[in-house]
Amino acid sequence: MFPFSRYLFSFVLLVLLVRLCDGGPWVIENKVDLRITNDLGTGADLNLHCQSKDDDLGTHVLAPNQFFEFRFRPNFWGTTLYFCKFWWGGESHWFNIYVEKRDTSRCDSKCWWMVGPVGPCLLDRRFGIYSLCENWNDPQFEGSSKKETGNDAARVYNDSKYLEGNEKRGN
């Protein structure tokens, strides 16, 4: 039994070293606060259904400027993914609302999104505005202006209404 425990110790040590070399934080990840606000601007309710591989957060209906918020701890392997389906009126879209490798450096523990008709915008904590805008993950990006950023196409908002103080809790 002694050789088995030596192999187990070596495996655990190897995993920890790989995790540290990968640039990830120590063993225990901080919790992420993820908020999604209805910013459709048309007075329409925003329906959403979010989930990960392990957690189904159910369906929620957000009135204009209302938000849905949840907290989670990213997994040890750095592969946490939450995705959401959004629909209102005759529109239906989906988006990967949290991708650990994409979002760890962008929002750390506070990932706040404003969802508008052409896609979601993430709060840029450096400037306090919702300027990190993305396209829907749909096959076609209709109605959005695209700017080539290297790997993906992203939209850019420069609108003062996306200031952080704009969030309102729904009734």
Side-chain angles (χ1 to χ4, degrees):
M1 185 97 176
F2 179 71
F4 174 74
S5 62
R6 186 180 326 176
Y7 290 123
L8 181 61
F9 174 77
S10 297
F11 175 74
V12 170
L13 184 61
L14 177 66
V15 168
L16 288 174
L17 288 173
V18 167
R19 182 74 172 142
L20 290 174
C21 292
D22 188 29
W26 299 93
V27 177
I28 299 177
E29 301 277 354
N30 291 328
K31 282 194 172 185
V32 172
D33 177 36
L34 197 142
R35 178 185 289 189
I36 303 167
T37 302
N38 175 355
D39 189 43
L40 292 174
T42 62
D45 287 347
L46 175 66
N47 300 280
L48 62 98
H49 182 195
C50 298
Q51 62 187 74
S52 71
K53 184 178 84 167
D54 302 317
D55 298 310
D56 187 335
L57 303 175
T59 301
H60 301 272
V61 180
L62 304 180
N65 299 314
Q66 187 178 22
F67 63 85
F68 168 64
E69 189 169 19
F70 62 98
R71 294 188 70 177
F72 61 93
R73 189 177 307 280
N75 67 32
F76 176 80
W77 306 106
T79 59
T80 302
L81 169 68
Y82 277 90
F83 51 94
C84 301
K85 177 182 179 183
F86 299 93
W87 68 98
W88 66 95
E91 299 271 341
S92 177
H93 302 282
W94 68 276
F95 182 70
N96 292 333
I97 203 76
Y98 184 83
V99 179
E100 189 167 353
K101 292 203 183 294
R102 177 193 73 196
D103 295 326
T104 298
S105 64
R106 297 194 318 168
C107 59
D108 195 27
S109 65
K110 183 175 166 181
C111 292
W112 289 6
W113 294 90
M114 295 284 264
V115 175
V118 293
C121 293
L122 179 66
L123 176 68
D124 186 334
R125 61 185 177 185
R126 298 170 301 166
F127 305 110
I129 59 174
Y130 289 89
S131 60
L132 303 173
C133 297
E134 302 283 345
N135 289 305
W136 297 113
N137 289 122
D138 303 337
Q140 303 235 335
F141 302 109
E142 296 179 31
S144 51
S145 58
K146 294 187 232 176
K147 178 181 178 186
E148 197 61 37
T149 59
N151 296 333
D152 288 10
R155 287 179 297 98
V156 178
Y157 274 135
N158 291 315
D159 193 330
S160 61
K161 80 174 190 170
Y162 292 100
L163 293 174
E164 182 174 354
N166 234 15
E167 291 81 30
K168 296 177 187 168
R169 196 175 283 276
N171 295 333

